[in-house]
Amino acid sequence: MYYTAKVKCKIAKDNGKFQKVTELYLVDAVSVTDVEVQITQKYKDSTFDWELSNVAETKILEVLAANA
């Protein structure tokens, strides 16, 4: 099953100000808890503040990749 996960990041700029960025991920997971685990694993070594703000189930059945 595929889920969309929105992650809000607060990144420090060179001038000392912060920039808020929202990143959207498509996650292949078995549950919302699994999505949380995968996102936490991805951001575990980050040096900025982040927050998983939304997880939603999608109607996507399969992701087709081009053969390289």
Side-chain angles (χ1 to χ4, degrees):
M1 188 164 287
Y2 293 96
Y3 294 85
T4 55
K6 285 186 182 178
V7 179
K8 293 183 180 179
C9 302
K10 188 176 177 183
I11 302 171
K13 302 294 277 181
D14 291 338
N15 61 5
K17 294 184 180 181
F18 289 94
Q19 179 181 8
K20 293 181 181 178
V21 177
T22 300
E23 299 177 341
L24 183 62
Y25 293 95
L26 179 64
V27 183
D28 184 8
V30 294
S31 66
V32 173
T33 303
D34 189 24
V35 173
E36 292 175 4
V37 169
Q38 290 185 48
I39 295 294
T40 301
Q41 186 69 23
K42 176 171 179 49
Y43 284 95
K44 71 178 179 178
D45 296 326
S46 66
T47 58
F48 52 85
D49 291 337
W50 64 273
E51 169 190 11
L52 178 60
S53 63
N54 187 315
V55 175
E57 185 177 328
T58 68
K59 294 182 179 183
I60 296 173
L61 300 176
E62 183 178 0
V63 176
L64 303 177
N67 293 335

